Amino acid sequence: GQYAQAENEIGKLMAPGRRPPPSADFLKTIGLDLWKQGKARKARGDAAGALADAKLTALVYVYFENQVQAGKMNAKSLTGTLSILAQAYVAMNDSARAKTIFEQVAKAAPSSPDANAGLARIAQAKKNYKDAVNLWTNVENTAAESDPLWYEAKYQVANIYAEQGNIQGACLKLAQTR
């Protein structure tokens, strides 16, 4: 719960010119731990703590975004890390930055269920149902049936169909998840 102190320490860790610079694996581990902690806080109903952990995750993982933009790292090898960064932006209500990162991941790995689901959620929130259905369908076709995203894709397409008045289509889509 000492977020100001944690932010200060992350700032020192990420300072330009720091010698020796932190390793990418170390930063991935810190960011992932913060992200998992934030998800656990959210599950317990601690919205403020989850938001603070998302901000800390973004502070660490922005390093990878910058490395990809500078051409020093390949986005294709960072799809999971960048997807978490984009999800952190979503948690921080910064859908524009999230969309940019998800698009970058989708360009590097077109079959990425995480990136396509992230873009689908953003499109759906903006009531851009045509794009959302296309993206969710892509998730359905690429995610493993054991992946929760596969079920979420079917559920969200059903929600869109219901929103558009296509109750029969919605019920058929939901029936596929049984």
Side-chain angles (χ1 to χ4, degrees), residues 16-171:
R18 182 180 182 277
R19 296 285 176 230
S23 76
D25 287 340
F26 179 67
L27 294 176
K28 282 182 184 181
T29 300
I30 290 173
L32 184 58
D33 286 347
L34 289 165
W35 183 246
K36 286 179 179 179
Q37 180 176 288
K39 288 177 75 172
R41 289 181 195 278
K42 185 176 180 180
R44 290 192 307 266
D46 180 4
L51 176 60
D53 284 327
K55 289 178 182 178
L56 294 175
T57 301
L59 284 175
V60 174
Y61 275 7
V62 74
Y63 166 82
F64 296 101
E65 177 185 10
N66 293 338
Q67 293 296 303
V68 168
Q69 288 176 352
K72 295 179 180 178
M73 289 185 172
N74 183 343
K76 190 168 187 166
S77 65
L78 294 168
T79 57
T81 301
L82 292 173
S83 290
I84 290 172
L85 174 60
Q87 290 174 51
Y89 287 145
V90 168
M92 295 162 45
N93 290 319
D94 191 346
S95 61
R97 282 185 84 179
K99 183 177 180 188
T100 299
I101 300 297
F102 281 133
E103 286 172 342
Q104 188 176 38
V105 173
K107 183 178 178 185
S111 63
S112 169
D114 290 330
N116 285 300
L119 290 169
R121 288 183 196 108
I122 292 168
Q124 191 172 350
K126 293 181 177 181
K127 299 195 183 300
N128 183 347
Y129 294 137
K130 181 181 177 197
D131 286 348
V133 168
N134 287 336
L135 289 160
W136 282 124
T137 301
N138 196 5
V139 173
E140 283 182 68
N141 293 333
T142 58
E145 196 171 321
S146 60
D147 187 337
L149 285 177
W150 185 83
Y151 290 95
E152 182 182 356
K154 295 211 177 275
Y155 177 76
Q156 294 302 340
V157 170
N159 279 337
I160 292 168
Y161 287 170
E163 180 76 21
Q164 295 175 327
N166 182 356
I167 304 305
Q168 182 179 5
C171 289

